[in-house]
Amino acid sequence: MSRFDQFFLMKPDDARRYAVEVLHRFAPGEETDCVEIGDGNINYVFRVWSRQDGRSVIIKQADKLLRSSGRPLDVYRNKIEAEILQLERELAPDYVPEVYHYDEIMSAVSMEDISSYKNLRKELAENRIYGHLAENLSAFLADTLLPTTDLVLPAGEKKRRVKFFTNPELCEITEDLVLTEPYYDYKHRNILTSGNEDFVRRFLYEDEALKGEVGRLRERFMNNAQALLHGDLHSGSIFANESGIKVIDPEFAFYGPMGYDIGNVLGNLYFAWANKAFTEPESGEAVAALENTIADTLDLTVKKLAAKYGELVSFPLYQAANFRESYLRSVLADSLGYAGTEIIRRIVGDSKVMEVTSVTDPAQRLPMERALLKMGIFLIKNRELPLSGRDITGAFRLILA
């Protein structure tokens, strides 16, 4: 009988044994090291490697409790993550780590070590803005989203996937923290920067037109089972180096509007731009690179989705030009709207980003937050206009002026 026949939370020594006894990635007696590298609130992530030749593996174990509060969590999310990683790797092999093993008893997924890639959020903070980002981000989005819709999949397979990827617990987190509380602080969890309370009240809490538009986005998030989403595609879930990108941590995966993933990518890039604009106004080259990355990511994603549509969609009714145009236009509108909600929730909600929290000077922090909030509002309210990448970057330039 193996000690891994019953669930328990592993520690580094346990993960080393697990890599030998369960994964068979290393020989018995082979000298290995292990370190816990996770920095999240709901999982434990271990890197195990051989002292002899450096071979390595990542083991990600789901906790049954939220670390911060002790709230119970369903470990089924780990099974969802293993499954979507495998599906996404089939669709976009250059952008997703290989899954080696999923262990239902231990709620652990084991996968390729991508340590040669670095956290994109931190890379952007260090002004490492890779020239390939827009090309690779847009390719990942187009390659993993449209092929999972029922424009492409047989209806029965699409419905099977919708059922498997039903993820109510983590969807509820998004519905609350992203699409409700920043506009209606009914749980009193919003965290406002001192000095911006009146601004938030005026521009968010008291703007009924804005709340109506967010309500529409919330309803689409909950009811438009359009494509299989990563569900939490911020710049901390994207890793990059000179050769490309890798996308990880899709535990929020579910079937929803594909614009939610696209919007999350776009929204998070604005944080890097705003941080540079207010804390390093002399870094014009970095700001220009970020601006170009945002504009090109949107435009290339729209272009590649259209190309993918022409390549994969064969049903005659869906080939009608007016249907195709309406469908892709709605994806663009969703993308802009959800980019706006992602920007706003990171400023007002209780899950911040380091590009904002690292700014401690109120003379920089207050106007930076206000500029980002104005941009989020612009994207939500104007999302149904046919805006290009240059339109949305130009809008932020005007806000910053």
Side-chain angles (χ1 to χ4, degrees):
M1 180 176 176
S2 167
R3 67 177 307 196
F4 301 107
D5 288 343
Q6 186 173 350
F7 178 87
F8 68 95
L9 281 177
M10 290 189 284
K11 295 181 178 179
D13 282 346
D14 302 311
R16 289 173 60 212
R17 290 185 59 182
Y18 184 86
V20 174
E21 297 176 17
V22 178
L23 302 181
H24 307 295
R25 303 299 298 183
F26 309 100
E30 184 174 355
E31 290 189 336
T32 59
D33 285 312
C34 177
V35 63
E36 212 270 302
I37 60 174
D39 59 0
N41 199 27
I42 58 178
N43 300 298
Y44 292 84
V45 184
F46 303 93
R47 179 175 183 262
V48 185
W49 70 96
S50 168
R51 295 182 186 176
Q52 178 181 338
D53 58 17
R55 284 177 297 109
S56 58
V57 63
I58 299 295
I59 302 167
K60 181 176 182 179
Q61 185 181 32
D63 196 350
K64 294 184 177 182
L65 299 173
L66 193 67
R67 289 194 208 184
S68 61
S69 67
R71 170 186 170 183
L73 292 169
D74 189 346
V75 294
Y76 181 71
R77 70 184 187 275
N78 203 263
K79 186 172 184 176
I80 286 177
E81 178 169 358
E83 184 76 10
I84 188 176
L85 282 170
Q86 292 176 83
L87 284 173
E88 287 184 337
R89 186 169 172 86
E90 291 175 11
L91 295 168
D94 291 338
Y95 305 122
V96 181
E98 180 182 357
V99 172
Y100 300 140
H101 180 69
Y102 172 68
D103 185 336
E104 194 146 6
I105 293 173
M106 291 296 292
S107 299
V109 58
S110 304
M111 67 188 83
E112 174 188 358
D113 182 6
I114 60 164
S115 297
S116 61
Y117 293 77
K118 304 303 179 185
N119 183 299
L120 179 60
R121 191 181 300 283
K122 295 178 181 178
E123 292 293 274
L124 296 180
E126 296 295 328
N127 289 337
R128 286 188 282 273
I129 305 161
Y130 301 106
H132 62 66
L133 274 178
E135 187 68 42
N136 285 321
L137 290 170
S138 59
F140 173 80
L141 291 165
D143 290 350
T144 59
L145 292 174
L146 190 72
T148 65
T149 69
D150 44 17
L151 272 62
V152 178
L153 290 175
E157 173 61 15
K158 161 73 183 306
K159 289 176 174 61
R160 184 197 71 78
R161 292 190 186 186
V162 170
K163 182 179 179 180
F164 179 88
F165 287 104
T166 297
N167 200 355
E169 198 168 48
L170 296 192
C171 282
E172 184 181 2
I173 291 173
T174 302
E175 291 153 13
D176 238 9
L177 296 184
V178 181
L179 298 169
T180 303
E181 292 182 47
Y183 314 90
Y184 171 47
D185 188 23
Y186 72 108
K187 291 186 178 179
H188 307 294
R189 296 191 296 193
N190 287 349
I191 300 173
L192 309 184
T193 300
S194 179
N196 268 344
E197 296 90 346
D198 288 344
F199 188 93
V200 169
R201 176 182 51 77
R202 176 186 173 193
F203 285 94
L204 297 183
Y205 297 164
E206 296 180 356
D207 188 335
E208 294 302 316
L210 175 67
K211 289 194 283 188
E213 295 304 320
V214 173
R216 291 174 61 199
L217 288 164
R218 188 179 192 273
E219 191 275 336
R220 284 183 65 76
F221 179 88
M222 297 177 72
N223 293 291
N224 184 18
Q226 183 179 45
L228 180 57
L229 307 185
H230 177 285
D232 194 27
L233 196 54
H234 55 76
S235 48
S237 298
I238 301 166
F239 281 58
N241 62 18
E242 292 289 353
S243 64
I245 66 169
K246 296 288 184 182
V247 176
I248 62 169
D249 291 344
E251 62 198 353
F252 278 73
F254 80 112
Y255 259 85
M258 67 175 80
Y260 187 75
D261 270 3
I262 300 167
N264 267 251
V265 171
L266 293 170
N268 275 271
L269 292 172
Y270 276 97
F271 297 122
W273 181 359
N275 179 281
K276 298 301 176 193
F278 283 93
T279 66
E280 301 177 29
E282 72 282 358
S283 59
E285 186 176 339
V287 167
L290 285 164
E291 181 177 351
N292 289 335
T293 298
I294 293 169
D296 292 344
T297 297
L298 178 62
D299 291 344
L300 286 171
T301 300
V302 169
K303 180 180 178 180
K304 290 176 184 179
L305 281 172
K308 188 71 68 174
Y309 192 108
E311 174 189 342
L312 298 180
V313 178
S314 59
F315 186 63
L317 294 179
Y318 298 154
Q319 289 182 321
N322 59 341
F323 177 86
R324 176 179 176 276
E325 180 182 346
S326 173
Y327 186 92
L328 293 173
R329 188 168 60 244
S330 73
V331 172
L332 172 60
D334 285 347
S335 301
L336 298 177
Y338 291 122
T341 59
E342 173 66 6
I343 292 170
I344 290 170
R345 74 99 164 198
R346 296 292 190 176
I347 302 298
V348 175
D350 69 351
S351 182
K352 308 294 187 183
V353 291
M354 71 175 195
E355 297 95 324
V356 175
T357 59
S358 64
V359 181
T360 57
D361 181 354
Q364 296 174 336
R365 176 79 171 260
L366 294 175
M368 180 182 69
E369 287 192 357
R370 292 172 189 174
L372 285 164
L373 290 173
K374 287 179 180 178
M375 187 64 207
I377 293 166
F378 171 87
L379 289 167
I380 292 169
K381 289 187 171 181
N382 293 280
R383 69 186 185 280
E384 293 179 345
L385 298 176
L387 300 177
S388 69
R390 297 299 163 190
D391 291 330
I392 65 169
T393 54
F396 195 50
R397 278 203 166 276
L398 288 175
I399 289 170
L400 292 173

